[in-house]
Amino acid sequence: MEVDTVVQIYADSKKGSWILGGGWNNDLWGGDLPMASWIDDITPHNPVWLSRMDGHMGLANSVALQLVGITNLSEDPNGGTIMKTSSGEPTGLLIDAAMKLILPWIPEVSVDERREALLRASNLALSRGVTTVVDFGRYYPGESVQLSWEDFADVYQWASYSEKMKIRVCLFFPLETWSSLADLINKTGHVLSDWVYLGGVKAFADGSLGSNSALFHEPYADEPHNYGLQVMELESLLSMTMASDKSGLQVAIHAIGDRANDLVLDMYKSVVVTTGKRDQRFRIEHAQHLASGTAARFGDQGIVASMQPQHLLDDADSARKKLGVDRAERESYLFQSLLANNALLALGSDWPVADINPLCAIRTAMKRIPPGWDNAWIPSERISLTDALIAHTLSAARACFLENDVGSLSPGKIADFVILSTSSWEDFAAEVSASIEATYVSGVQAYP
């Protein structure tokens, strides 16, 4: 969100009301992090909260900081950082779990707005050829763990019972609420309707690269004393993962930095030793940076690598700055290495952080050419059209236990499919350029 946008919203806002926005990316303006002073003069009477595009950092103005009581005496919460100047004054930036200091003060979005958002999001997905999504909910470090449950009751159950669902959703809930999900599945099963599936639970191991809070074995090149953040204490993460697995729940954990991925893989291994090996399909969400030998662990342990090619476009330049060129090019977005080591690679979008556009994501996985670049970033990690298609369809379905229903056009499965503007896979593989002409759900045209 740019300053002139904030000015316009402020002009239209009632004194004292919250001004909310987001989507900013400091890497696009050279990397400097914003400060409250950038917007204080134009928002003297309203609290402001502007989240970064990855959801792991946000900017508050001084009015908001004063309202919630964040001062130079405020201490960092576990798993979060209150950014401060060299003199100890808060800059306005809150990272990961520190966002919990401000988020409860922000007015809740109404039920009607959330229901309308689902319908609009579903129409967008259909226009991009997407018929099934995994929804991890409004769950970020610092957010209330109840938001996902409120959306389940107020939005998804309403839409399902009212026959307003347009796409299929597999829902994951915060790991802290594993017992509630286990109780619900014991009563209803995983399949609530033709549209809504109960998947599993999700947690965070670290933050994001863009917020310098992804957890690494080595420090950031641009912050030599910063190794990133471990968002949840390992003992707590392990005990809840163990309990979830004993209850038969699938577990997905966000890990971006190389150390975070190793920590989660170690933890999953210890859980299996304790609870026993079965078809757990443990997931790591993002798996963006992997140390030497870690890609092989995904295959050996049977861990799902749930990745998003479009993040590569934003991260290619910033990773080289934040990690150094050699380190970034050894361990970033190792699609081919994961496949070569028999990992289940499931590709998606992470929308709304990145655009929900499978055709563009397929092109990125195949080409790996960031904006402004002439050549591929780490060309050895490019994958074929066939592998990119499978990762977006059958493997993505298998990654959430839905391969018997969706993921391919096969006898006995649901007839969800798209019609592309090209009739030649050879032409598509060469240019990776096509558009969605029609999307069908259960054999019925749903778009346009």
Side-chain angles (χ1 to χ4, degrees):
M1 175 173 282
E2 299 180 2
V3 171
D4 56 353
T5 305
V6 177
V7 171
Q8 182 59 49
I9 294 176
Y10 176 72
D12 298 334
S13 299
K14 187 170 24 175
K15 183 177 179 180
S17 64
W18 278 86
I19 295 175
L20 306 175
W24 58 268
N25 183 355
N26 52 299
D27 293 325
L28 298 180
W29 63 66
D32 291 341
L33 290 169
M35 302 176 67
S37 58
W38 290 17
I39 56 176
D40 278 346
D41 289 344
I42 58 174
T43 57
H45 305 300
N46 295 71
V48 178
W49 176 248
L50 308 173
S51 59
R52 192 179 187 276
M53 49 86 73
D54 57 13
H56 288 269
M57 176 192 289
L59 175 69
N61 69 345
S62 293
V63 175
L65 294 176
Q66 184 177 7
L67 176 67
V68 306
I70 296 176
T71 70
N72 58 344
L73 299 178
S74 300
E75 297 182 354
D76 292 338
N78 289 334
T81 301
I82 302 169
M83 293 287 286
K84 296 180 180 179
T85 65
S86 57
S87 61
E89 293 299 318
T91 69
L93 285 173
L94 303 176
I95 301 176
D96 284 312
M99 295 188 292
K100 70 183 179 183
L101 301 175
I102 198 168
L103 293 176
W105 292 77
I106 296 174
E108 178 60 272
V109 180
S110 72
V111 172
D112 287 342
E113 288 175 309
R114 286 183 280 137
R115 289 175 176 176
E116 176 62 24
L118 172 63
L119 300 179
R120 290 167 55 197
S122 299
N123 288 334
L124 173 63
L126 290 171
S127 73
R128 301 293 175 79
V130 175
T131 61
T132 303
V133 299
V134 176
D135 185 2
F136 290 107
R138 292 184 291 155
Y139 176 51
Y140 285 97
E143 285 279 17
S144 167
V145 297
Q146 294 306 314
L147 294 180
S148 296
W149 287 98
E150 291 173 10
D151 287 339
F152 170 64
D154 296 340
V155 180
Y156 282 116
Q157 286 190 311
W158 163 82
S160 185
Y161 294 152
S162 304
E163 299 184 349
K164 294 183 182 296
M165 291 294 295
K166 299 182 178 183
I167 62 173
R168 307 180 202 286
V169 293
C170 180
L171 301 176
F172 277 68
F173 296 84
L175 179 65
E176 294 93 325
T177 66
W178 67 268
S179 61
S180 297
L181 181 60
D183 289 343
L184 178 61
I185 290 175
N186 284 336
K187 294 176 183 176
T188 67
H190 285 273
V191 181
L192 288 188
S193 70
D194 290 340
W195 303 96
V196 180
Y197 303 82
L198 298 176
V201 288
K202 184 197 177 182
F204 289 85
D206 66 348
S208 71
L209 181 73
S211 299
N212 279 31
S213 57
L215 186 65
F216 287 93
H217 290 292
E218 300 175 47
Y220 285 83
D222 56 349
E223 287 186 27
H225 300 293
N226 180 21
Y227 290 78
L229 286 174
Q230 186 173 316
V231 172
M232 185 178 288
E233 293 181 358
L234 190 59
E235 182 178 346
S236 177
L237 187 63
L238 174 59
S239 65
M240 286 190 286
T241 298
M242 193 89 69
S244 299
D245 186 57
K246 287 181 179 177
S247 297
L249 298 176
Q250 186 181 18
V251 179
I253 299 180
H254 162 118
I256 287 182
D258 54 18
R259 185 180 174 196
N261 277 276
D262 284 340
L263 284 174
V264 176
L265 287 166
D266 289 345
M267 187 192 67
Y268 281 156
K269 185 175 182 179
S270 67
V271 169
V272 171
V273 168
T274 302
T275 64
K277 181 66 177 174
R278 59 180 178 81
D279 189 11
Q280 279 115 331
R281 302 189 202 180
F282 287 136
R283 296 169 60 120
I284 291 184
E285 304 304 315
H286 309 307
Q288 289 177 3
H289 304 281
L290 305 180
S292 176
T294 301
R297 296 186 62 188
F298 277 80
D300 291 343
Q301 293 181 222
I303 306 300
V304 177
S306 171
M307 304 182 72
Q308 300 77 34
Q310 292 301 84
H311 286 322
L312 177 156
L313 302 180
D314 294 322
D315 284 354
D317 289 315
S318 61
R320 290 155 64 94
K321 294 176 184 176
K322 293 175 181 293
L323 307 180
V325 174
D326 290 344
R327 188 164 139 214
E329 297 197 354
R330 282 198 311 269
E331 63 173 41
S332 301
Y333 295 87
L334 304 184
F335 303 141
Q336 183 58 46
S337 293
L338 286 162
L339 286 176
N341 283 282
N342 299 313
L344 181 63
L345 178 65
L347 297 183
S349 70
D350 201 25
W351 185 83
V353 176
D355 189 17
I356 182 169
N357 195 329
L359 293 180
C360 287
I362 289 168
R363 178 171 65 244
T364 299
M366 293 173 60
K367 303 294 186 182
R368 297 179 67 104
I369 301 178
W373 288 43
D374 295 324
N375 300 308
W377 184 39
I378 323 179
S380 61
E381 294 298 332
R382 293 176 295 188
I383 62 176
S384 69
L385 170 61
T386 298
D387 285 337
L389 283 169
I390 291 173
H392 274 91
T393 53
L394 191 55
S395 292
R398 181 168 177 76
C400 52
F401 289 90
L402 293 181
E403 73 274 15
N404 291 331
D405 295 325
V406 297
S408 64
L409 283 175
S410 308
K413 290 191 181 184
I414 300 167
D416 292 353
F417 61 93
V418 299
I419 297 177
L420 301 180
S421 59
T422 179
S423 59
S424 167
W425 284 118
E426 289 75 16
D427 291 345
F428 183 75
E431 300 297 329
V432 200
S433 178
S435 58
I436 304 295
E437 292 199 338
T439 303
Y440 285 75
V441 178
S442 297
V444 177
Q445 186 170 336
Y447 169 84

